[in-house]
């Protein structure tokens, strides 16, 4: 039932002429018997008996309500003329005063302020002229009552106009907010897709590059050194499992149903030593140095237990390096970005620097910033530009990560040959 009433109201709202015609016809039907009743209870010496002319003017005035949506001010003027004509000929105007109030309300609710102010003035002028023609100009009570009704209907019409304008503004604001929300959602989705693509590229490119190098080494030594080939294949297996675990963790974040996805911590600067060890196993002779200019004498002394802070301690066979210094706690985003930067730079060195190349990784904690430097002495940027890596997704991802945290980045050839990646991340020094 409620849905039927709502549908009917919406249909009438879409066809406003139909309810106006119904309202006008109802007023016209009620005005004819009201004219006879008014004559019966009125002054016979002053009012004539309703005739065809009088009833015709009354019915025409009531039916003018049907056109109030198109020409309300013209209809008000014609009704006032009909009311004055009936009064001047001694005929009763029946319900034309009610039609006048309806038209005043309509003009106030649908027209501008200047025109709406003319409507009550015209209605009151027509009422006074009719009263003067009938000899009722001295009946101030009726005049005051008509003035109160007219002003009240005008105020009600203006309130309806302001309410509709306010509701329209709210709907327009809601539409604008919806568009803004959709734009923000699209931007967030695009940013999330870019982030996921960047993470997948870093994970896949690094592990697949190392696996490729290990597979090539296993193929070369398969006949002469089966034990070395088995070690290389075991390393490939371990790298494959690690890559699958990272990808599963990353893709699991996108799932919205089912059980909660098991999430492991994101890698950071503390995992760089393990990354360097992994690159050494893949054949890239890498040295790592972690420095902290903010270290106090006590922490510097503690660091010297593992190795002199700020220096590289070489141990074991050629191509290996120890880690000096301590790792400070960093913001999670910067921590991950620094790790991915080192990972991508070392992967590029492994792929393009050549079989005899060496690489150096320096992580330097300075007051207010974190400095990352990765360089190698291999073939340099020319070989990388030939296979398109200089403009690939890896270096673009590095630039995006550094720019995301307001850092500075330099990528290019190294003095004396080779390639280097220098980045500085601003930090809130604690």
């Amino acid at each position: 039932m409620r849905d039927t009433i709502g549908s009917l109201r919406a249909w009438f709202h879409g066809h406003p002429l139909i309810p106006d015609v119904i309202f006008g016809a109802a007023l016209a039907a009620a005005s004819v018997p009201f004219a006879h009743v008014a004559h019966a209870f009125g002054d016979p010496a002053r009012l004539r008996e309703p005739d065809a002319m009088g009833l015709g003017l009354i019915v025409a005035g009531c039916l003018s309500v049907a056109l109030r949506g198109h020409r309300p001010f013209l209809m008000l003027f014609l009704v006032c003329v009909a009311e004055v004509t009936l009064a001047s000929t001694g005929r009763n105007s029946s319900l034309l005063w009610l039609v006048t109030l309806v038209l005043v309300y309509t003009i106030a609710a649908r027209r501008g302020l200047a025109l709406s102010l003319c409507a009550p003035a015209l209605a009151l002028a027509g009422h006074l002229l009719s009263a003067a023609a009938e000899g009722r100009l001295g009946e101030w009570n009726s005049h005051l009552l008509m003035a109160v009704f007219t002003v009240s209907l005008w105020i009600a019409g203006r309130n309806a106009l302001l309410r509709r304008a306010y509701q329209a503004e709210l709907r327009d604001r809601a539409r604008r907010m919806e568009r803004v929300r959709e734009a923000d959602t699209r931007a967030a989705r695009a940013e999330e897709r870019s982030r996921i693509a960047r993470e997948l590229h870093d994970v896949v490119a690094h592990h697949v590059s190392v696996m490729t190098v290990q597979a090539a080494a296993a193929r070369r030594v398969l006949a002469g050194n089966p034990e070395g080939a088995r070690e290389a294949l075991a390393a490939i297996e371990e790298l494959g499992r690690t890559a699958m675990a990272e990808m599963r963790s990353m893709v699991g974040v996108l799932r919205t149903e089912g059980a909660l996805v098991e999430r492991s911590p994101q890698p950071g600067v503390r995992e760089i030593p393990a990354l360097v060890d992994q690159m050494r196993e893949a054949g890239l002779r890498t040295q790592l140095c972690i420095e902290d200019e903010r270290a106090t004498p006590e922490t510097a002394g503690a660091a010297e237990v593992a190795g002199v802070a700020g220096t590289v301690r070489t141990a074991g066979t050629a191509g290996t390096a120890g880690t000096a210094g301590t790792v400070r706690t960093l913001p999670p985003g910067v921590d991950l970005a620094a790790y991915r930067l080192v990972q991508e730079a070392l992967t590029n060195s492994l792929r393009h620097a050549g079989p005899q190349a060496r690489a150096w990784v320096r992580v330097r904690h300075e007051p207010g910033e974190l400095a990352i430097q990765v360089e190698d002495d291999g073939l340099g940027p020319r070989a990388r530009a030939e296979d398109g890596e200089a403009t690939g997704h890896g270096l673009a991802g590095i630039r995006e990560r550094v720019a995301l945290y307001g850092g500075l980045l330099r990528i290019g050839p190294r003095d004396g040959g080779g390639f280097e990646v220098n980045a500085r991340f601003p930090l809130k020094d604690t």
Side-chain angles (χ1 to χ4, degrees):
M1 182 64 180
R2 183 177 302 175
D3 294 339
T4 303
I5 296 176
S7 301
L8 187 61
R9 184 185 297 110
W11 187 82
F12 277 131
H13 184 73
H15 303 79
L17 183 61
I18 295 178
D20 289 343
V21 170
I22 296 175
F23 183 43
L27 284 177
S31 63
V32 174
F34 189 84
H36 289 282
V37 172
H39 174 72
F41 290 94
D43 187 2
R46 191 175 60 183
L47 295 176
R48 297 173 54 181
E49 185 177 356
D51 54 6
M53 176 183 174
L55 293 177
L57 287 175
I58 292 172
V59 171
C62 293
L63 291 177
S64 66
V65 174
L67 300 177
R68 68 190 183 105
H70 301 281
R71 296 288 188 273
F73 197 84
L74 177 61
M75 295 300 103
L76 176 62
F77 177 77
L78 294 178
V79 169
C80 290
V81 170
E83 190 176 5
V84 173
T85 301
L86 290 172
S88 60
T89 57
R91 295 181 175 87
N92 183 267
S93 59
S94 186
L95 295 179
L96 290 185
W97 63 274
L98 183 58
V99 176
T100 301
L101 295 178
V102 171
L103 293 174
V104 168
Y105 172 85
T106 302
I107 295 172
R110 301 184 182 182
R111 296 297 184 265
L113 180 61
L115 188 61
S116 67
L117 288 174
C118 296
L122 179 60
L124 291 176
H127 172 75
L128 292 177
L129 288 176
S130 300
E134 293 178 352
R136 298 184 295 104
L137 197 57
E139 298 180 0
W140 294 107
N141 292 334
S142 63
H143 304 333
L144 181 60
L145 187 62
M146 185 63 182
V148 169
F149 284 159
T150 303
V151 173
S152 299
L153 267 295
W154 183 86
I155 293 175
R158 296 307 297 177
N159 287 336
L161 177 65
L162 295 177
R163 184 172 62 254
R164 285 199 305 271
Y166 177 71
Q167 292 174 351
E169 176 64 23
L170 289 180
R171 289 192 295 269
D172 183 66
R173 184 180 301 177
R175 286 192 294 267
R176 291 198 302 268
M177 292 297 295
E178 181 66 19
R179 289 194 294 268
V180 170
R181 188 185 66 82
E182 291 177 356
D184 291 343
T185 301
R186 288 194 297 268
R189 288 175 179 173
E191 182 179 357
E192 185 66 12
R193 285 195 297 268
S194 177
R195 186 190 67 81
I196 293 173
R198 187 167 59 240
E199 293 290 338
L200 284 174
H201 173 270
D202 291 344
V203 172
V204 174
H206 168 71
H207 289 92
V208 171
S209 297
V210 177
M211 291 166 65
T212 302
V213 173
Q214 294 279 21
R219 179 176 55 83
R220 286 195 299 267
V221 302
L222 181 60
N225 187 6
E227 183 65 25
R230 281 195 296 269
E231 292 179 359
L233 292 175
I236 293 174
E237 181 182 4
E238 182 64 25
L239 284 172
R241 290 175 178 173
T242 303
M244 288 300 299
E246 291 191 30
M247 291 179 61
R248 188 180 298 111
S249 175
M250 190 179 307
V251 175
V253 177
L254 305 179
R255 297 175 181 172
T256 56
E257 70 278 350
L260 292 176
V261 179
E262 185 176 333
R263 297 177 175 86
S264 58
Q266 291 283 6
V269 175
R270 295 182 183 275
E271 283 70 33
I272 289 180
L275 175 64
V276 170
D277 291 338
Q278 188 181 83
M279 302 306 295
R280 293 195 197 106
E281 294 176 0
L284 179 64
R285 297 181 296 172
T286 309
Q287 291 182 342
L288 171 64
C289 177
I290 298 179
E291 302 177 355
D292 193 346
E293 288 189 356
R294 304 170 302 174
T296 62
E298 291 77 6
T299 57
E304 291 175 357
V305 175
V308 180
T311 63
V312 176
R313 174 169 50 86
T314 304
T317 59
T320 63
T323 301
T326 58
V327 179
R328 294 295 183 96
T329 301
L330 297 172
V334 175
D335 202 21
L336 176 62
Y339 177 86
R340 294 302 188 195
L341 185 146
V342 174
Q343 183 185 52
E344 180 63 29
L346 289 179
T347 301
N348 287 339
S349 297
L350 178 66
R351 295 171 59 186
H352 306 290
Q356 301 300 323
R358 298 173 62 91
W360 295 269
V361 179
R362 183 182 296 272
V363 179
R364 186 180 183 88
H365 296 268
E366 300 178 358
E369 67 179 9
L370 173 70
I372 304 291
Q373 182 180 20
V374 182
E375 55 185 0
D376 63 64
D377 60 355
L379 300 178
R382 179 176 301 177
R384 302 170 197 206
E386 290 176 357
D387 62 7
E389 181 64 25
T391 57
H393 296 289
L395 298 182
I398 290 178
R399 293 189 180 93
E400 291 177 1
R401 289 183 186 278
V402 176
L404 180 63
Y405 297 100
L408 300 177
L409 177 67
R410 180 187 178 277
I411 300 177
R414 171 177 171 266
D415 294 339
F419 202 76
E420 67 176 349
V421 177
N422 285 314
R424 289 182 175 272
F425 295 92
L427 301 174
K428 292 183 178 180
D429 191 19
T430 57

